[in-house]
Amino acid sequence: LRGAAARAEGRPPRGPRRASSAAKASAVNITEKASREKILTLESMNPQVKAVEYAVRGPIVLKAGEIEKELRKGIKKPFTEVIKANIGDAHAMGQRPITFLRQVVALCTYPNLLDSPSFPEDAKKRARRILQGCGGNSLGSYTASQGINCIREDVASYIERRDGGVPADPDNIYLTTGASDGISAILKILISGGGKSRTGVMIPIPQYPLYSAVISELDAIQVNYYLDEENCWGLDVNELRRALNEAKAYCNPKVLCIINPGNPTGQVQSRKCIEEVIHFAWEEKLFLLADEVYQDNVYSEGCQFHSFKKILYEMGPEYYNNVELASFHSTSKGYMGECGYRGGYMEVINLHPEIKGQLVKLLSVRLCPPVSGQAAMDIVVNPPVPGEESYAQFIKEKESVLNNLAKKAKLTEDMFNKIPGVHCNPLQGAMYAFPRIFIPSKAIEEAKAHKMAPDMFYCMKLLEETGICVVPGSGFGQREGTYHFRMTILPPVEKLKILLEKVKDFHIKFLEKYA
């Protein structure tokens, strides 16, 4: 354009502009900056974050993702798909959503549907109530940091019904981003001190890796107590006492975590066991965390879910008025399987009034839990009741999911126990099997050569040869010299049968190869 203008004026066009000395200097500086060392490196990063491990989405899952990409590119494998049995993600495994829950969340998300005849009145009633608790009657507004008040009231009513009339105060309820958010928040407040006075957190082994990850992140001390595999992964108070007494030499144990029903082990604790644990916590002045997200997932005859809150109340005022207890629940498990909504709650009792304020302050930093997740949690605790329009369909869908899971739990246990070198305890509850596997010494040596734990080596081979993705037991913790893997029972029955047959064939070949 410049040249055209010059020609129009009858003067010769100028050549390209020369870069100024300032521009040149700037370019040199940019080049120098581009080559300088990064501020954030593995050496300079937060060492507590670097120490965090989360096996459920660890190396085995990354490898599964790589294999999936290769399959999409047409690279030939001995299988046509990767079956991700590594995580309890019900809907990803084909479970259908509960209609009523989705109806209420849909109505809350798009209130114009409240005028539609396609939605039942009991769903509309709940949606209107939730929306009235939201700023501007919109799910898109922030809520109180503790959660929408009417939903906390519904949670308290649910707990009272579940526990046979044991009182529950909405002010002790905190809505959370899944149960994980609540567990992390409580541990943040509990952990303090340095050296031998640093807080020790007692966790079951095997455990759900969230606990070890949060403990690492917060630079607390992990105190392991072992579940008894020979006694259906039972919890023995003598083992708790051993772990506690040993830990007192190097830390200040003040937190006891319980997972009931168990993850990854699937055991359901008896009333007597819970009473003994509560007495132990009272006697040793321990803060109790009860992870009860699988409370709807109980399958074995003779097993029943008992909440720690209910048993604590029934043990009398000396216990109920003194033992500090945080209990957790979630939309992600049970019959709902709504992992993606990230809905959950915790109930915290006997908390010091000043600490209550500190907890709310901590939760306020993240503003509020996802409001759609709060709405989903409300339907878990406030489902249709007899006489309401949606009750029959709701109960049919709920029972179908739970009955199906019970069948798959028994099928998995039976099929694993028919495989030579595999032993699986009864799957009393939750949604996983945690079988013990025999790994020959030659395989252990080869695993060491690859700088892998033996069960990681086993699971990697299983993935590469069958496309089945499971999580090695070393990611959950296990007794020295024993090997396991965790596998979800969520796939549809026919796919689960195929999966188990593939594991059987693989294991037999594995034993033959390394015998």
Side-chain angles (χ1 to χ4, degrees):
L1 288 173
R2 196 184 301 125
R7 281 190 295 272
E9 293 171 8
R11 56 182 172 82
R14 284 183 296 175
R17 287 181 180 172
R18 291 182 179 180
S20 70
S21 57
K24 285 180 181 177
S26 176
V28 170
N29 286 340
I30 290 168
T31 306
E32 286 175 356
K33 285 177 184 175
S35 61
R36 77 178 186 180
E37 289 183 5
K38 297 287 186 187
I39 295 167
L40 184 60
T41 66
L42 283 173
E43 289 70 36
S44 67
M45 73 175 284
N46 184 334
Q48 272 62 62
V49 174
K50 191 158 62 172
V52 168
E53 292 184 3
Y54 189 63
V56 173
R57 294 198 173 191
I60 200 93
V61 184
L62 297 176
K63 181 66 176 176
E66 290 173 13
I67 292 173
E68 282 184 316
K69 286 179 184 175
E70 290 172 356
L71 286 170
R72 284 196 290 271
K73 288 177 182 175
I75 297 172
K76 295 294 179 186
K77 302 282 180 185
F79 47 86
T80 56
E81 66 170 332
V82 171
I83 302 175
K84 289 185 176 176
N86 61 294
I87 196 166
D89 191 352
H91 293 187
M93 288 282 112
Q95 182 178 308
R96 304 301 302 161
I98 298 296
T99 302
F100 188 76
L101 187 150
R102 288 297 182 91
Q103 286 174 328
V104 175
V105 175
L107 288 163
C108 288
T109 305
Y110 189 59
N112 287 5
L113 294 173
L114 288 164
D115 298 325
S116 169
S118 301
F119 288 79
E121 282 305 316
D122 48 1
K124 291 179 180 179
K125 177 183 172 185
R126 283 163 176 77
R128 288 190 186 101
R129 183 166 180 266
I130 292 167
L131 289 171
Q132 284 166 8
C134 297
N137 291 322
S138 172
L139 219 60
S141 60
Y142 287 129
T143 72
S145 298
Q146 206 168 333
I148 297 172
N149 190 57
C150 69
I151 297 179
R152 290 190 292 117
E153 289 172 356
D154 288 345
V155 171
S157 298
Y158 162 80
I159 292 169
E160 288 184 2
R161 291 194 309 273
R162 181 198 68 188
D163 292 345
V166 176
D169 183 352
D171 200 38
N172 292 334
I173 307 296
Y174 303 80
L175 300 182
T176 56
T177 308
S180 305
D181 175 47
I183 292 164
S184 299
I186 285 291
L187 286 174
K188 276 181 187 174
I189 277 201
L190 278 161
I191 290 165
S192 64
K196 288 188 178 181
S197 66
R198 190 65 175 163
T199 298
V201 182
M202 300 180 68
I203 64 171
I205 298 296
Q207 53 108 16
Y208 177 50
L210 165 73
Y211 291 94
S212 55
V214 174
I215 290 166
S216 291
E217 184 185 351
L218 299 176
D219 199 22
I221 307 299
Q222 180 174 316
V223 179
N224 296 340
Y225 66 87
Y226 289 87
L227 302 177
D228 183 1
E229 185 171 10
E230 306 308 316
N231 187 28
C232 205
W233 297 111
L235 195 166
D236 184 352
V237 171
N238 292 324
E239 169 61 13
L240 289 179
R241 190 161 281 111
R242 176 208 63 76
L244 179 79
N245 290 338
E246 288 183 10
K248 284 178 178 177
Y250 56 85
C251 70
N252 174 26
K254 65 179 183 184
V255 187
L256 173 57
C257 301
I258 308 289
I259 308 174
N260 179 48
N263 174 11
T265 45
Q267 85 286 2
V268 178
Q269 290 179 3
S270 68
R271 181 191 181 91
K272 181 175 180 292
C273 175
I274 294 172
E275 287 175 350
E276 289 174 352
V277 170
I278 290 171
H279 177 74
F280 176 79
W282 172 81
E283 186 178 50
E284 299 291 347
K285 296 181 179 177
L286 297 171
F287 195 112
L288 265 176
L289 303 190
D291 183 339
E292 298 175 335
V293 301
Y294 296 99
Q295 59 190 259
D296 287 307
N297 301 105
V298 177
Y299 315 123
S300 293
E301 283 187 30
C303 289
Q304 181 183 348
F305 170 75
H306 301 281
S307 79
F308 267 73
K309 161 95 177 285
K310 180 176 188 284
I311 305 302
L312 178 62
Y313 185 84
E314 292 173 350
M315 287 175 72
E318 190 172 10
Y319 293 94
Y320 185 68
N321 293 328
N322 290 294
V323 174
E324 291 155 275
L325 169 69
S327 308
F328 307 91
H329 196 17
S330 166
T331 61
S332 301
K333 310 304 175 186
Y335 57 90
M336 308 79 66
E338 293 283 8
C339 304
Y341 277 121
R342 308 308 300 132
Y345 75 75
M346 63 178 171
E347 180 187 26
V348 191
I349 61 171
N350 292 324
L351 205 59
H352 190 289
E354 291 177 356
I355 294 298
K356 220 172 196 178
Q358 293 295 319
L359 178 58
V360 172
K361 178 185 75 174
L362 177 65
L363 294 174
S364 71
V365 173
R366 53 88 159 121
L367 296 175
C368 68
V371 187
S372 55
Q374 294 186 50
M377 191 74 245
D378 188 65
I379 306 314
V380 175
V381 298
N382 184 26
V385 296
E388 287 191 305
E389 184 179 349
S390 301
Y391 178 74
Q393 183 182 8
F394 169 77
I395 283 296
K396 182 182 176 183
E397 291 176 354
K398 176 183 175 179
E399 290 181 351
S400 172
V401 171
L402 294 176
N403 290 339
N404 205 21
L405 283 169
K407 287 176 188 172
K408 290 190 283 191
K410 186 65 178 145
L411 169 72
T412 304
E413 176 198 340
D414 290 346
M415 288 189 72
F416 271 141
N417 285 327
K418 289 175 183 174
I419 304 173
V422 176
H423 172 72
C424 186
N425 272 322
L427 280 62
Q428 296 175 340
M431 48 184 62
Y432 313 98
F434 196 67
R436 183 169 172 172
I437 51 175
F438 171 70
I439 298 182
S441 56
K442 280 186 181 178
I444 293 171
E445 290 302 316
E446 190 167 329
K448 285 178 183 173
H450 286 85
K451 296 182 180 178
M452 285 185 185
D455 49 8
M456 170 64 85
F457 176 75
Y458 178 96
C459 292
M460 200 62 83
K461 289 287 185 188
L462 176 67
L463 173 63
E464 290 169 350
E465 294 180 25
T466 67
I468 295 168
C469 180
V470 296
V471 189
S474 50
F476 301 88
Q478 55 200 350
R479 281 199 181 274
E480 186 97 21
T482 67
Y483 307 108
H484 304 78
F485 64 77
R486 189 190 80 161
M487 185 195 88
T488 182
I489 61 170
L490 288 170
V493 172
E494 291 311 311
K495 183 173 268 193
L496 184 62
K497 285 179 181 176
I498 293 167
L499 185 157
L500 292 166
E501 284 292 343
K502 283 186 173 185
V503 172
K504 176 185 173 183
D505 293 343
F506 166 82
H507 188 78
I508 290 168
K509 288 175 186 172
F510 186 87
L511 292 183
E512 288 171 353
K513 180 177 179 180
Y514 292 103

